[in-house]
Amino acid sequence: MKFVLTVFTLLVLALAGAFALGYWVERPIAFDAPREITVAPGDGTREIAAKLDSAGVIRSERAFRWLAQWKGIDRHLRPGRYRFEGAVRLSDVLQQLNEGRIVSVMVTIPEGWTLARIALHLEGELQWPPGALTTLMSDTAILAEWAPGAASLEGYLWPETYQFYWGVEPREALTRLLQSGREQFNDTLAVRAAALGWTRHQVLTLASLIEAEAADGNERGLISGVFHNRLREGWLLQCDPTVIYAMGGLPPGRQLTRQDLNLDSPYNTYLHPGLPPGPICNPGLASIRAALYPDSTDAMYFVADGQGAHIFSRTLEQHNAANSRVKREQRQRR
Protein backbone atom coordinates (compact mmCIF):
# COMPACT_ATOMS: atom_id res chain seq x y z
CA MET A 1 0.00 0.00 0.00
CA LYS A 2 2.81 2.33 0.89
CA PHE A 3 4.50 1.52 -2.43
CA VAL A 4 1.31 2.30 -4.35
CA LEU A 5 0.96 5.66 -2.58
CA THR A 6 4.57 6.51 -3.36
CA VAL A 7 4.13 5.67 -7.06
CA PHE A 8 0.88 7.64 -7.13
CA THR A 9 2.54 10.63 -5.49
CA LEU A 10 5.45 10.53 -7.92
CA LEU A 11 3.03 10.27 -10.84
CA VAL A 12 1.03 13.25 -9.61
CA LEU A 13 4.22 15.25 -9.13
CA ALA A 14 5.45 14.28 -12.60
CA LEU A 15 2.15 15.28 -14.17
CA ALA A 16 2.12 18.52 -12.23
CA GLY A 17 5.69 19.23 -13.34
CA ALA A 18 4.88 18.44 -16.95
CA PHE A 19 1.81 20.65 -16.76
CA ALA A 20 3.83 23.49 -15.23
CA LEU A 21 6.55 23.07 -17.87
CA GLY A 22 3.99 22.96 -20.65
CA TYR A 23 2.26 26.04 -19.28
CA TRP A 24 5.59 27.87 -19.05
CA VAL A 25 6.56 26.94 -22.61
CA GLU A 26 3.14 27.70 -24.11
CA ARG A 27 2.46 30.84 -22.11
CA PRO A 28 2.09 33.67 -24.63
CA ILE A 29 4.99 36.06 -25.06
CA ALA A 30 3.87 39.66 -25.57
CA PHE A 31 5.98 42.03 -27.67
CA ASP A 32 6.11 45.79 -27.34
CA ALA A 33 7.33 45.91 -30.96
CA PRO A 34 7.15 43.40 -33.83
CA ARG A 35 9.94 40.82 -34.00
CA GLU A 36 11.20 39.46 -37.32
CA ILE A 37 13.39 36.55 -38.37
CA THR A 38 14.43 35.23 -41.75
CA VAL A 39 14.40 31.49 -42.34
CA ALA A 40 16.86 30.69 -45.09
CA PRO A 41 16.36 27.77 -47.49
CA GLY A 42 17.92 24.71 -45.90
CA ASP A 43 17.53 25.91 -42.31
CA GLY A 44 16.58 23.06 -39.98
CA THR A 45 14.72 23.24 -36.67
CA ARG A 46 17.98 23.81 -34.80
CA GLU A 47 18.86 26.93 -36.88
CA ILE A 48 15.28 28.20 -36.80
CA ALA A 49 14.99 27.70 -33.05
CA ALA A 50 18.23 29.63 -32.50
CA LYS A 51 16.94 32.57 -34.58
CA LEU A 52 13.61 32.59 -32.74
CA ASP A 53 15.33 32.45 -29.37
CA SER A 54 17.72 35.24 -30.32
CA ALA A 55 14.76 37.42 -31.35
CA GLY A 56 12.96 36.65 -28.07
CA VAL A 57 10.04 34.92 -29.78
CA ILE A 58 10.31 31.60 -27.90
CA ARG A 59 11.42 30.61 -24.39
CA SER A 60 13.09 27.30 -25.17
CA GLU A 61 14.90 26.11 -28.29
CA ARG A 62 14.63 22.51 -27.10
CA ALA A 63 10.87 22.80 -26.57
CA PHE A 64 10.48 24.28 -30.05
CA ARG A 65 12.38 21.39 -31.66
CA TRP A 66 10.53 18.79 -29.60
CA LEU A 67 7.07 20.20 -30.36
CA ALA A 68 7.85 20.53 -34.08
CA GLN A 69 8.92 16.87 -34.16
CA TRP A 70 5.94 15.73 -32.06
CA LYS A 71 3.55 17.51 -34.46
CA GLY A 72 5.35 15.96 -37.44
CA ILE A 73 6.12 19.32 -39.05
CA ASP A 74 9.82 19.62 -38.25
CA ARG A 75 10.66 19.04 -41.94
CA HIS A 76 7.89 21.29 -43.24
CA LEU A 77 8.87 24.70 -41.84
CA ARG A 78 9.07 27.07 -44.79
CA PRO A 79 11.77 29.61 -45.62
CA GLY A 80 10.98 33.31 -45.74
CA ARG A 81 10.75 36.39 -43.54
CA TYR A 82 8.36 36.12 -40.59
CA ARG A 83 6.96 38.81 -38.33
CA PHE A 84 5.60 38.10 -34.86
CA GLU A 85 3.62 40.73 -32.99
CA GLY A 86 1.13 41.08 -30.20
CA ALA A 87 1.19 37.97 -28.02
CA VAL A 88 2.12 34.59 -29.47
CA ARG A 89 2.40 31.06 -28.11
CA LEU A 90 4.93 28.47 -29.18
CA SER A 91 2.26 26.55 -31.09
CA ASP A 92 1.29 29.78 -32.88
CA VAL A 93 4.87 30.25 -34.00
CA LEU A 94 5.08 26.71 -35.32
CA GLN A 95 1.77 27.04 -37.16
CA GLN A 96 2.92 30.27 -38.84
CA LEU A 97 6.16 28.66 -39.96
CA ASN A 98 4.39 25.51 -41.13
CA GLU A 99 1.82 27.46 -43.16
CA GLY A 100 4.44 29.78 -44.60
CA ARG A 101 2.66 32.96 -43.48
CA ILE A 102 5.57 35.17 -44.46
CA VAL A 103 5.54 38.95 -44.42
CA SER A 104 5.28 41.02 -47.57
CA VAL A 105 7.75 43.70 -48.54
CA MET A 106 6.53 47.11 -49.71
CA VAL A 107 8.84 48.62 -52.30
CA THR A 108 8.30 52.06 -53.82
CA ILE A 109 9.67 52.91 -57.27
CA PRO A 110 9.48 56.70 -57.71
CA GLU A 111 8.73 58.29 -61.06
CA GLY A 112 11.84 59.27 -62.98
CA TRP A 113 14.19 56.61 -61.64
CA THR A 114 16.51 54.98 -64.15
CA LEU A 115 16.72 51.27 -64.83
CA ALA A 116 20.05 51.02 -62.98
CA ARG A 117 18.69 52.78 -59.90
CA ILE A 118 15.59 50.58 -59.81
CA ALA A 119 17.71 47.44 -60.07
CA LEU A 120 19.95 48.48 -57.17
CA HIS A 121 16.94 49.44 -55.05
CA LEU A 122 15.08 46.17 -55.61
CA GLU A 123 18.18 44.06 -55.11
CA GLY A 124 18.73 45.78 -51.77
CA GLU A 125 15.13 45.77 -50.54
CA LEU A 126 14.46 42.15 -51.52
CA GLN A 127 17.97 40.95 -50.61
CA TRP A 128 18.83 39.47 -53.98
CA PRO A 129 22.46 38.87 -54.92
CA PRO A 130 24.10 42.00 -56.39
CA GLY A 131 23.51 42.13 -60.14
CA ALA A 132 20.69 39.56 -60.12
CA LEU A 133 18.13 41.97 -61.56
CA THR A 134 20.62 43.96 -63.63
CA THR A 135 21.62 40.80 -65.49
CA LEU A 136 17.99 39.82 -66.02
CA MET A 137 17.16 43.24 -67.47
CA SER A 138 19.63 42.53 -70.29
CA ASP A 139 17.98 39.24 -71.22
CA THR A 140 17.24 39.38 -74.95
CA ALA A 141 14.12 37.20 -74.64
CA ILE A 142 12.62 39.50 -72.00
CA LEU A 143 13.54 42.53 -74.07
CA ALA A 144 11.90 41.07 -77.19
CA GLU A 145 8.73 40.23 -75.27
CA TRP A 146 8.23 43.48 -73.36
CA ALA A 147 10.05 46.14 -75.39
CA PRO A 148 10.33 44.87 -78.98
CA GLY A 149 12.75 46.93 -81.01
CA ALA A 150 14.13 48.75 -77.95
CA ALA A 151 17.75 48.57 -76.90
CA SER A 152 16.86 48.25 -73.20
CA LEU A 153 13.92 48.10 -70.80
CA GLU A 154 14.52 51.73 -69.78
CA GLY A 155 11.15 53.50 -69.65
CA TYR A 156 9.10 50.30 -69.59
CA LEU A 157 9.10 49.69 -65.82
CA TRP A 158 6.11 51.20 -64.06
CA PRO A 159 6.85 53.46 -61.06
CA GLU A 160 4.56 52.83 -58.10
CA THR A 161 4.50 51.06 -54.72
CA TYR A 162 4.55 47.28 -55.01
CA GLN A 163 3.83 44.62 -52.42
CA PHE A 164 6.07 41.60 -52.91
CA TYR A 165 6.06 38.44 -50.87
CA TRP A 166 9.35 37.69 -49.19
CA GLY A 167 11.48 35.42 -51.37
CA VAL A 168 10.00 36.57 -54.67
CA GLU A 169 12.27 35.72 -57.59
CA PRO A 170 13.81 38.58 -59.63
CA ARG A 171 12.11 37.44 -62.84
CA GLU A 172 8.66 37.47 -61.22
CA ALA A 173 9.19 40.95 -59.75
CA LEU A 174 10.51 42.32 -63.05
CA THR A 175 7.52 40.87 -64.88
CA ARG A 176 5.16 42.68 -62.49
CA LEU A 177 6.81 46.03 -63.18
CA LEU A 178 6.70 45.44 -66.93
CA GLN A 179 3.12 44.17 -66.87
CA SER A 180 2.00 47.22 -64.91
CA GLY A 181 3.63 49.47 -67.49
CA ARG A 182 1.88 47.69 -70.33
CA GLU A 183 -1.49 47.86 -68.60
CA GLN A 184 -1.16 51.56 -67.74
CA PHE A 185 -0.51 52.42 -71.38
CA ASN A 186 -4.17 51.65 -72.10
CA ASP A 187 -6.23 51.75 -75.29
CA THR A 188 -7.08 55.44 -74.87
CA LEU A 189 -3.41 56.38 -74.75
CA ALA A 190 -2.58 54.01 -77.60
CA VAL A 191 -5.30 55.56 -79.81
CA ARG A 192 -3.99 59.06 -79.05
CA ALA A 193 -0.43 57.97 -79.87
CA ALA A 194 -1.59 56.51 -83.18
CA ALA A 195 -3.41 59.77 -83.99
CA LEU A 196 -0.11 61.63 -83.51
CA GLY A 197 1.71 59.02 -85.60
CA TRP A 198 3.82 57.99 -82.63
CA THR A 199 4.77 54.56 -81.32
CA ARG A 200 4.61 53.65 -77.65
CA HIS A 201 8.41 53.72 -77.59
CA GLN A 202 8.47 57.30 -78.87
CA VAL A 203 5.84 58.36 -76.34
CA LEU A 204 7.79 56.81 -73.47
CA THR A 205 10.97 58.46 -74.71
CA LEU A 206 9.45 61.95 -74.78
CA ALA A 207 7.66 61.30 -71.48
CA SER A 208 11.01 60.41 -69.88
CA LEU A 209 12.48 63.74 -70.97
CA ILE A 210 9.47 65.56 -69.51
CA GLU A 211 9.77 63.55 -66.29
CA ALA A 212 13.45 64.41 -65.98
CA GLU A 213 12.87 68.13 -66.60
CA ALA A 214 9.66 68.71 -64.63
CA ALA A 215 10.66 69.29 -61.01
CA ASP A 216 7.36 71.18 -60.80
CA GLY A 217 4.69 68.73 -61.92
CA ASN A 218 2.42 71.58 -63.01
CA GLU A 219 4.85 72.40 -65.83
CA ARG A 220 4.72 69.03 -67.58
CA GLY A 221 2.25 70.19 -70.23
CA LEU A 222 4.24 73.35 -71.02
CA ILE A 223 7.55 71.47 -71.23
CA SER A 224 5.89 68.98 -73.56
CA GLY A 225 4.54 71.85 -75.65
CA VAL A 226 8.05 73.27 -76.09
CA PHE A 227 9.45 69.87 -77.06
CA HIS A 228 6.64 69.31 -79.57
CA ASN A 229 7.28 72.77 -81.06
CA ARG A 230 10.99 72.06 -81.45
CA LEU A 231 10.37 68.63 -82.95
CA ARG A 232 7.89 70.10 -85.43
CA GLU A 233 10.39 72.78 -86.48
CA GLY A 234 13.26 70.30 -86.72
CA TRP A 235 15.20 72.01 -83.94
CA LEU A 236 17.55 70.26 -81.53
CA LEU A 237 15.75 69.43 -78.27
CA GLN A 238 18.79 70.51 -76.22
CA CYS A 239 17.59 68.62 -73.14
CA ASP A 240 20.24 68.57 -70.41
CA PRO A 241 19.04 65.32 -68.77
CA THR A 242 19.78 63.41 -72.00
CA VAL A 243 23.44 64.42 -71.73
CA ILE A 244 23.52 63.51 -68.05
CA TYR A 245 22.02 60.10 -68.91
CA ALA A 246 24.63 59.56 -71.62
CA MET A 247 27.33 60.36 -69.05
CA GLY A 248 25.94 57.76 -66.66
CA GLY A 249 24.86 60.44 -64.20
CA LEU A 250 26.69 63.25 -62.43
CA PRO A 251 28.43 63.19 -59.04
CA PRO A 252 26.65 65.20 -56.31
CA GLY A 253 27.24 68.91 -56.76
CA ARG A 254 28.65 68.53 -60.27
CA GLN A 255 27.04 70.71 -62.94
CA LEU A 256 26.97 70.21 -66.69
CA THR A 257 29.69 72.10 -68.55
CA ARG A 258 29.88 73.33 -72.14
CA GLN A 259 32.39 70.58 -72.78
CA ASP A 260 29.86 67.97 -71.59
CA LEU A 261 27.41 69.18 -74.24
CA ASN A 262 29.85 67.98 -76.91
CA LEU A 263 29.74 64.38 -75.66
CA ASP A 264 29.58 62.01 -78.62
CA SER A 265 26.46 59.97 -77.84
CA PRO A 266 23.21 59.30 -79.72
CA TYR A 267 21.46 60.39 -76.51
CA ASN A 268 23.01 63.86 -76.70
CA THR A 269 20.13 66.03 -77.92
CA TYR A 270 22.52 68.98 -78.26
CA LEU A 271 24.17 67.18 -81.18
CA HIS A 272 21.47 64.92 -82.64
CA PRO A 273 18.05 66.15 -83.80
CA GLY A 274 14.80 64.46 -82.86
CA LEU A 275 14.19 62.16 -79.93
CA PRO A 276 17.04 60.15 -78.38
CA PRO A 277 17.11 56.40 -79.18
CA GLY A 278 15.02 55.56 -76.12
CA PRO A 279 13.81 56.71 -72.70
CA ILE A 280 16.30 58.10 -70.20
CA CYS A 281 14.24 57.13 -67.13
CA ASN A 282 10.95 55.48 -66.23
CA PRO A 283 8.15 58.05 -66.46
CA GLY A 284 4.83 58.04 -64.65
CA LEU A 285 1.33 58.49 -66.04
CA ALA A 286 1.32 62.29 -65.70
CA SER A 287 4.38 62.64 -67.93
CA ILE A 288 3.04 60.12 -70.44
CA ARG A 289 -0.20 62.05 -70.69
CA ALA A 290 1.74 65.30 -71.05
CA ALA A 291 3.72 63.79 -73.93
CA LEU A 292 0.47 62.88 -75.68
CA TYR A 293 -1.48 66.02 -74.77
CA PRO A 294 0.98 68.95 -74.79
CA ASP A 295 -0.12 72.43 -73.79
CA SER A 296 -0.69 74.81 -76.67
CA THR A 297 2.16 77.34 -76.43
CA ASP A 298 4.33 79.45 -78.69
CA ALA A 299 7.30 79.01 -76.34
CA MET A 300 10.40 77.47 -77.90
CA TYR A 301 12.76 77.67 -74.93
CA PHE A 302 12.82 77.15 -71.19
CA VAL A 303 15.45 77.50 -68.51
CA ALA A 304 15.43 76.39 -64.88
CA ASP A 305 14.88 79.35 -62.57
CA GLY A 306 16.90 77.85 -59.71
CA GLN A 307 13.78 77.59 -57.53
CA GLY A 308 12.34 74.35 -58.89
CA ALA A 309 10.44 75.84 -61.83
CA HIS A 310 11.25 77.16 -65.34
CA ILE A 311 11.08 80.38 -67.31
CA PHE A 312 9.53 79.86 -70.75
CA SER A 313 10.43 82.07 -73.71
CA ARG A 314 9.25 82.50 -77.29
CA THR A 315 12.42 83.99 -78.78
CA LEU A 316 16.14 83.40 -78.35
CA GLU A 317 16.52 86.99 -77.18
CA GLN A 318 13.99 86.43 -74.39
CA HIS A 319 15.66 83.13 -73.51
CA ASN A 320 19.11 84.70 -73.25
CA ALA A 321 17.70 87.46 -71.04
CA ALA A 322 16.07 84.84 -68.78
CA ASN A 323 19.36 82.95 -68.59
CA SER A 324 21.22 86.09 -67.57
CA ARG A 325 18.63 86.91 -64.92
CA VAL A 326 18.81 83.43 -63.40
CA LYS A 327 22.61 83.52 -63.23
CA ARG A 328 22.55 86.99 -61.67
CA GLU A 329 20.05 85.89 -59.01
CA GLN A 330 22.09 82.78 -58.27
CA ARG A 331 25.21 84.92 -57.68
CA GLN A 332 23.26 87.18 -55.37
CA ARG A 333 22.06 84.22 -53.28
CA ARG A 334 25.57 82.92 -52.67
Side-chain angles (χ1 to χ4, degrees):
M1 186 66 176
K2 193 173 189 177
F3 174 76
V4 173
L5 287 172
T6 301
V7 171
F8 178 76
T9 301
L10 291 174
L11 182 61
V12 169
L13 290 174
L15 288 173
F19 177 80
L21 179 62
Y23 175 78
W24 176 77
V25 168
E26 268 289 85
R27 186 161 52 90
I29 298 179
F31 310 122
D32 53 357
R35 311 287 176 89
E36 290 190 359
I37 68 160
T38 299
V39 177
D43 277 356
T45 53
R46 187 174 296 277
E47 292 81 8
I48 297 171
K51 291 178 179 180
L52 289 167
D53 182 61
S54 178
V57 177
I58 60 176
R59 291 188 174 87
S60 167
E61 295 183 40
R62 181 175 297 179
F64 174 87
R65 298 197 304 270
W66 178 84
L67 189 58
Q69 188 173 16
W70 182 74
K71 287 176 172 285
I73 59 175
D74 51 316
R75 297 181 182 275
H76 302 283
L77 304 181
R78 305 183 186 184
R81 177 179 286 182
Y82 292 86
R83 177 182 293 119
F84 305 94
E85 49 192 340
V88 295
R89 298 176 302 165
L90 179 60
S91 55
D92 297 329
V93 173
L94 275 167
Q95 185 175 2
Q96 190 168 336
L97 290 162
N98 182 47
E99 294 176 358
R101 287 190 269 122
I102 55 181
V103 301
S104 58
V105 183
M106 304 295 289
V107 182
T108 297
I109 308 297
E111 298 171 346
W113 274 18
T114 62
L115 207 63
R117 191 171 183 183
I118 291 173
L120 284 174
H121 185 59
L122 285 173
E123 287 168 1
E125 290 294 307
L126 298 170
Q127 295 186 14
W128 294 328
L133 192 58
T134 306
T135 301
L136 199 60
M137 286 174 171
S138 302
D139 188 286
T140 54
I142 293 176
L143 193 60
E145 178 182 358
W146 294 99
S152 81
L153 295 176
E154 192 78 82
Y156 288 82
L157 275 60
W158 193 251
E160 68 175 344
T161 297
Y162 293 87
Q163 183 175 7
F164 296 108
Y165 66 88
W166 185 253
V168 63
E169 293 294 326
R171 182 178 293 271
E172 182 180 347
L174 178 60
T175 299
R176 275 193 64 190
L177 270 66
L178 290 166
Q179 183 64 41
S180 293
R182 181 173 286 178
E183 291 171 356
Q184 290 294 332
F185 201 92
N186 56 34
D187 291 344
T188 301
L189 299 181
V191 168
R192 172 62 177 172
L196 294 175
W198 286 38
T199 64
R200 179 189 174 203
H201 186 73
Q202 290 172 314
V203 173
L204 291 176
T205 301
L206 180 57
S208 73
L209 270 60
I210 297 167
E211 191 74 70
E213 289 278 17
D216 182 345
N218 294 323
E219 293 184 342
R220 286 189 177 96
L222 266 176
I223 292 172
S224 179
V226 172
F227 283 148
H228 274 273
N229 289 346
R230 296 179 76 92
L231 288 169
R232 186 169 52 251
E233 295 298 323
W235 291 16
L236 292 168
L237 290 181
Q238 297 183 323
C239 175
D240 288 0
T242 63
V243 181
I244 295 172
Y245 182 78
M247 295 172 65
L250 288 176
R254 162 86 148 79
Q255 300 294 321
L256 276 180
T257 65
R258 289 188 178 275
Q259 186 177 354
D260 294 332
L261 303 183
N262 293 319
L263 177 69
D264 183 16
S265 167
Y267 280 89
N268 187 347
T269 54
Y270 278 84
L271 298 180
H272 301 282
L275 293 169
I280 61 171
C281 67
N282 292 270
L285 185 59
S287 291
I288 292 173
R289 290 188 61 82
L292 290 169
Y293 300 94
D295 285 1
S296 178
T297 178
D298 59 0
M300 300 295 290
Y301 306 87
F302 60 84
V303 60
D305 66 0
Q307 303 294 313
H310 292 86
I311 300 170
F312 296 83
S313 303
R314 183 175 57 84
T315 68
L316 180 58
E317 183 180 11
Q318 293 171 342
H319 179 61
N320 287 337
N323 255 315
S324 297
R325 190 171 84 233
V326 168
K327 290 177 181 177
R328 185 170 59 252
E329 291 173 352
Q330 287 175 338
R331 287 194 299 269
Q332 291 172 351
R333 285 195 294 267
R334 288 174 186 165

